[in-house]
Coordinates of all heavy atoms in Angstrom, one line a residue:
F191 N 180.2 92.9 323.6 CA 178.9 92.6 323.0 C 177.8 93.4 323.6 O 176.6 93.1 323.4 CB 178.6 91.1 323.2 CG 179.4 90.2 322.3 CD1 179.7 88.9 322.7 CD2 179.9 90.5 321.0 CE1 180.5 88.0 321.9 CE2 180.6 89.7 320.2 CZ 180.9 88.5 320.7
S192 N 178.1 94.4 324.4 CA 177.0 95.1 325.2 C 176.1 95.9 324.3 O 175.0 96.3 324.8 CB 177.6 96.0 326.2 OG 178.4 97.0 325.7
G193 N 176.4 96.0 323.0 CA 175.5 96.7 322.1 C 174.7 95.8 321.2 O 174.1 96.2 320.3
I194 N 174.8 94.5 321.5 CA 174.3 93.4 320.6 C 173.2 92.7 321.4 O 173.5 92.3 322.5 CB 175.4 92.5 320.0 CG1 176.3 93.4 319.2 CG2 174.8 91.4 319.2 CD1 177.6 92.6 318.9
E195 N 172.1 92.4 320.8 CA 171.1 91.6 321.5 C 171.4 90.1 321.5 O 172.1 89.6 320.6 CB 169.7 91.8 320.8 CG 169.5 91.4 319.4 CD 169.8 92.6 318.5 OE1 170.5 93.5 318.8 OE2 169.3 92.5 317.3
G196 N 171.0 89.5 322.5 CA 171.4 88.1 322.7 C 170.9 87.1 321.7 O 171.7 86.2 321.3
E197 N 169.8 87.3 321.1 CA 169.2 86.4 320.1 C 170.1 86.5 318.8 O 170.3 85.5 318.2 CB 167.8 86.8 319.7 CG 167.2 85.7 318.9 CD 165.8 86.1 318.3 OE1 165.6 87.3 318.1 OE2 165.0 85.2 318.1
M198 N 170.6 87.7 318.5 CA 171.4 87.8 317.3 C 172.7 87.1 317.5 O 173.2 86.4 316.6 CB 171.7 89.3 317.1 CG 172.7 89.5 315.9 SD 173.0 91.3 315.5 CE 171.6 91.6 314.4
L199 N 173.3 87.2 318.7 CA 174.5 86.4 319.0 C 174.3 84.9 318.9 O 175.1 84.2 318.4 CB 175.1 86.8 320.3 CG 176.5 86.3 320.7 CD1 177.5 86.7 319.6 CD2 176.9 86.8 322.0
A200 N 173.2 84.5 319.5 CA 172.9 83.0 319.4 C 172.7 82.6 318.0 O 173.1 81.4 317.6 CB 171.6 82.8 320.2
S201 N 172.1 83.4 317.1 CA 172.0 83.0 315.7 C 173.3 82.9 315.0 O 173.5 82.0 314.2 CB 171.1 84.0 315.0 OG 169.8 84.1 315.6
Y202 N 174.2 83.8 315.4 CA 175.5 83.8 314.8 C 176.3 82.6 315.3 O 177.0 82.0 314.5 CB 176.3 85.1 315.2 CG 177.6 85.2 314.5 CD1 177.7 85.5 313.2 CD2 178.8 85.1 315.3 CE1 179.0 85.6 312.6 CE2 180.1 85.2 314.7 CZ 180.1 85.5 313.3 OH 181.3 85.6 312.7
E203 N 176.2 82.2 316.5 CA 176.8 80.9 317.0 C 176.3 79.8 316.1 O 177.1 78.9 315.8 CB 176.4 80.7 318.5 CG 177.1 81.6 319.4 CD 176.5 81.4 320.9 OE1 176.0 80.3 321.1 OE2 176.7 82.2 321.7
F204 N 175.0 79.7 315.8 CA 174.4 78.6 315.1 C 175.0 78.6 313.7 O 175.4 77.5 313.2 CB 172.9 78.8 315.1 CG 172.2 77.7 314.4 CD1 171.9 76.5 315.1 CD2 171.9 77.7 313.0 CE1 171.2 75.5 314.4 CE2 171.3 76.7 312.4 CZ 170.9 75.5 313.1
I205 N 175.0 79.7 313.0 CA 175.5 79.6 311.6 C 177.0 79.4 311.5 O 177.5 79.0 310.5 CB 175.1 80.9 310.8 CG1 175.8 82.1 311.4 CG2 173.6 81.1 310.7 CD1 175.6 83.4 310.5
S206 N 177.7 79.8 312.6 CA 179.2 79.6 312.7 C 179.5 78.1 313.0 O 180.6 77.7 312.9 CB 179.8 80.5 313.7 OG 179.6 81.8 313.4
G207 N 178.5 77.4 313.4 CA 178.7 75.9 313.8 C 179.4 75.8 315.1 O 180.0 74.7 315.4
I208 N 179.5 76.8 315.9 CA 180.1 76.7 317.2 C 179.2 76.3 318.3 O 178.2 77.0 318.6 CB 180.8 78.1 317.6 CG1 181.8 78.5 316.5 CG2 181.4 78.1 319.0 CD1 182.4 79.9 316.7
K209 N 179.4 75.1 318.8 CA 178.5 74.6 319.9 C 179.3 74.0 321.0 O 179.9 72.9 320.8 CB 177.5 73.6 319.2 CG 176.6 72.9 320.3 CD 175.7 73.9 321.0 CE 174.7 73.2 321.9 NZ 173.9 74.1 322.7
I210 N 179.4 74.7 322.1 CA 180.2 74.1 323.2 C 179.3 74.2 324.4 O 178.7 75.3 324.7 CB 181.5 75.0 323.5 CG1 182.3 75.1 322.2 CG2 182.2 74.4 324.6 CD1 183.4 76.2 322.3
N211 N 179.0 73.1 325.1 CA 178.1 73.1 326.2 C 178.7 73.8 327.4 O 179.8 73.6 327.8 CB 177.8 71.6 326.5 CG 177.0 70.9 325.5 OD1 176.1 71.5 324.8 ND2 177.2 69.6 325.3
P212 N 177.9 74.7 328.0 CA 178.3 75.4 329.2 C 178.4 74.5 330.4 O 177.7 73.5 330.5 CB 177.2 76.5 329.4 CG 176.0 75.9 328.7 CD 176.5 75.1 327.6
L213 N 179.4 74.9 331.3 CA 179.5 74.1 332.5 C 178.7 74.6 333.7 O 178.7 74.0 334.7 CB 181.0 74.0 332.8 CG 181.9 73.3 331.8 CD1 183.4 73.4 332.2 CD2 181.5 71.9 331.5
C214 N 178.2 75.8 333.5 CA 177.4 76.4 334.5 C 176.1 77.0 333.9 O 176.2 77.9 333.0 CB 178.1 77.5 335.3 SG 177.2 78.3 336.6
L215 N 175.0 76.6 334.2 CA 173.7 77.1 333.7 C 173.3 78.3 334.5 O 173.4 78.3 335.7 CB 172.6 76.0 333.7 CG 173.0 74.8 332.8 CD1 171.8 73.8 332.9 CD2 173.2 75.1 331.3
T216 N 172.8 79.3 333.9 CA 172.4 80.5 334.5 C 170.8 80.7 334.5 O 170.1 80.2 333.7 CB 173.0 81.8 333.9 OG1 172.6 81.8 332.5 CG2 174.5 81.7 333.9
Y217 N 170.4 81.5 335.5 CA 168.9 81.8 335.5 C 168.8 83.2 336.0 O 169.7 83.8 336.6 CB 168.2 80.9 336.5 CG 168.7 80.9 337.9 CD1 168.1 81.9 338.8 CD2 169.7 80.1 338.4 CE1 168.5 82.0 340.1 CE2 170.1 80.2 339.8 CZ 169.5 81.1 340.6 OH 169.9 81.2 341.9
I218 N 167.6 83.8 335.8 CA 167.2 85.1 336.2 C 166.0 85.0 337.0 O 165.0 84.5 336.6 CB 167.0 86.1 335.0 CG1 168.3 86.4 334.3 CG2 166.3 87.4 335.4 CD1 169.2 87.4 335.0
K219 N 166.0 85.6 338.3 CA 164.9 85.5 339.2 C 163.6 86.2 338.6 O 162.5 85.8 338.7 CB 165.2 86.1 340.5 CG 166.2 85.2 341.3 CD 166.5 85.9 342.7 CE 167.5 85.1 343.4 NZ 167.9 85.8 344.7
S220 N 163.9 87.3 337.9 CA 162.7 88.1 337.4 C 162.4 87.9 335.9 O 161.9 88.8 335.3 CB 163.1 89.6 337.7 OG 163.3 89.9 339.0
K221 N 162.8 86.7 335.4 CA 162.6 86.5 334.0 C 161.1 86.6 333.6 O 160.8 87.1 332.5 CB 163.1 85.1 333.7 CG 163.2 84.8 332.2 CD 164.0 83.5 331.9 CE 164.2 83.3 330.4 NZ 165.0 82.1 330.1
N222 N 160.2 86.2 334.5 CA 158.8 86.2 334.1 C 158.3 87.7 334.0 O 157.5 88.1 333.2 CB 157.9 85.5 335.2 CG 158.1 86.1 336.6 OD1 159.2 86.5 336.9 ND2 157.0 86.1 337.3
I223 N 158.9 88.6 334.8 CA 158.6 90.0 334.7 C 159.2 90.6 333.5 O 158.6 91.5 332.8 CB 159.1 90.8 336.0 CG1 158.5 90.2 337.2 CG2 158.8 92.2 335.9 CD1 158.9 90.7 338.5
F224 N 160.4 90.2 333.1 CA 161.0 90.6 331.9 C 160.1 90.3 330.7 O 159.8 91.2 329.8 CB 162.4 89.9 331.7 CG 162.9 90.0 330.3 CD1 163.6 91.2 329.9 CD2 162.9 89.0 329.3 CE1 164.1 91.3 328.6 CE2 163.4 89.1 328.1 CZ 164.0 90.3 327.7
Y225 N 159.6 89.1 330.6 CA 158.7 88.7 329.5 C 157.4 89.5 329.6 O 156.8 89.7 328.5 CB 158.5 87.2 329.4 CG 159.7 86.5 328.9 CD1 160.4 85.6 329.6 CD2 160.1 86.8 327.6 CE1 161.6 85.0 329.1 CE2 161.3 86.2 327.0 CZ 162.0 85.3 327.8 OH 163.1 84.6 327.3
S226 N 156.9 89.8 330.8 CA 155.7 90.6 330.8 C 155.9 92.0 330.3 O 154.9 92.6 329.8 CB 155.2 90.7 332.3 OG 156.0 91.6 333.0
I227 N 157.1 92.5 330.3 CA 157.4 93.8 329.8 C 157.7 93.7 328.3 O 157.3 94.5 327.4 CB 158.7 94.4 330.5 CG1 158.4 94.7 331.9 CG2 159.1 95.7 329.7 CD1 159.6 95.1 332.8
A228 N 158.4 92.6 327.9 CA 158.8 92.5 326.5 C 157.7 91.9 325.6 O 157.8 91.9 324.4 CB 160.1 91.6 326.4
G229 N 156.7 91.3 326.3 CA 155.6 90.7 325.5 C 156.1 89.4 324.8 O 156.9 88.7 325.4
S230 N 155.6 89.1 323.7 CA 156.0 87.9 323.0 C 157.3 88.0 322.2 O 157.8 87.1 321.6 CB 154.9 87.4 322.0 OG 154.6 88.5 321.1
R231 N 157.8 89.2 322.2 CA 159.1 89.5 321.5 C 160.2 88.8 322.2 O 160.3 88.7 323.4 CB 159.4 91.0 321.3 CG 158.3 91.7 320.5 CD 158.5 93.2 320.6 NE 158.2 93.6 321.9 CZ 158.5 94.8 322.4 NH1 159.2 95.7 321.7 NH2 158.1 95.1 323.7
P232 N 161.2 88.3 321.4 CA 162.4 87.7 322.0 C 163.4 88.7 322.7 O 164.2 88.3 323.5 CB 163.1 87.0 320.8 CG 162.7 87.8 319.6 CD 161.3 88.3 319.9

Side-chain angles (χ1 to χ4, degrees):
F191 289 148
S192 61
I194 297 165
E195 60 268 26
E197 192 192 26
M198 174 176 277
L199 187 58
S201 297
Y202 185 70
E203 288 175 20
F204 183 85
I205 65 170
S206 300
I208 298 174
K209 176 62 177 175
I210 305 164
N211 291 326
L213 298 178
C214 181
L215 299 178
T216 60
Y217 63 89
I218 288 285
K219 291 179 181 178
S220 302
K221 195 171 184 179
N222 59 326
I223 301 176
F224 167 78
Y225 283 117
S226 74
I227 295 170
S230 59
R231 293 169 294 165

